[in-house]
């Protein structure tokens, strides 16, 4: 769906360059976006490279800026309705990084033995 890509790109730009909430971690990225077919809701999957507090603070910051983000999205993307945005923490990148470290660790131990 073309809309998902457009909304993802725009949300990334808005979060990176326009939202000035200090709670939002600088290493925050929008991993995926699912816009409902009726354009009423949008799930934005967010990845934060940081500890759990940084992740929770970022989600709180994004939720409190949701009105501003929606208005900016409405100005920049031409949609019939501007969806309500639900920010969801996506741990998959962090999970992948951790798994990669664990695999490296096991490989290193194997080589030493």
């Amino acid at each position: 769906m073309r809309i998902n890509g457009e909304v993802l790109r725009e949300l990334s730009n808005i979060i990176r360059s326009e939202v000035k909430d200090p709670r939002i971690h600088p290493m925050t990225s929008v991993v995926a976006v699912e816009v409902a077919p009726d354009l009423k809701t949008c799930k934005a999957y967010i990845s934060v490279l940081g500890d759990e507090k940084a992740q929770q603070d970022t989600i709180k910051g994004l939720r409190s800026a949701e009105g501003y983000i929606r208005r900016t999205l409405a100005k920049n993307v031409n949609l019939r309705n501007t969806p309500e945005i639900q920010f969801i923490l996506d741990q998959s990148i962090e999970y992948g990084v951790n798994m990669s470290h664990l695999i490296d660790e096991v490989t290193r131990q194997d080589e030493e033995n």
Side-chain angles (χ1 to χ4, degrees), residues 19-110:
V19 177
K20 300 292 182 231
D21 191 313
R23 292 175 291 188
I24 299 173
H25 194 276
M27 295 296 289
T28 297
S29 56
V30 183
V31 181
V33 167
E34 288 174 14
V35 180
D38 63 3
L39 302 179
K40 287 196 176 14
T41 59
C42 165
K43 290 180 181 173
Y45 295 90
I46 306 297
S47 173
V48 181
L49 278 175
D51 60 15
E52 197 165 326
K53 182 179 179 349
Q55 294 171 349
Q56 295 310 319
D57 287 351
T58 296
I59 293 296
K60 283 183 193 142
L62 288 171
R63 286 183 180 146
S64 75
E66 196 240 352
Y68 171 77
I69 294 170
R70 273 183 81 186
R71 284 191 300 279
T72 309
L73 190 63
K75 268 194 312 220
N76 300 348
V77 180
N78 189 11
L79 298 172
R80 278 193 320 274
N81 300 321
T82 304
E84 263 181 57
I85 306 165
Q86 182 184 4
F87 295 102
I88 300 163
L89 195 58
D90 182 344
Q91 249 75 345
S92 61
I93 290 177
E94 189 180 5
Y95 177 80
V97 169
N98 288 337
M99 288 308 285
S100 182
H101 287 309
L102 289 172
I103 291 167
D104 290 347
E105 188 66 31
V106 169
T107 307
R108 206 171 27 255
Q109 287 173 356
D110 274 359

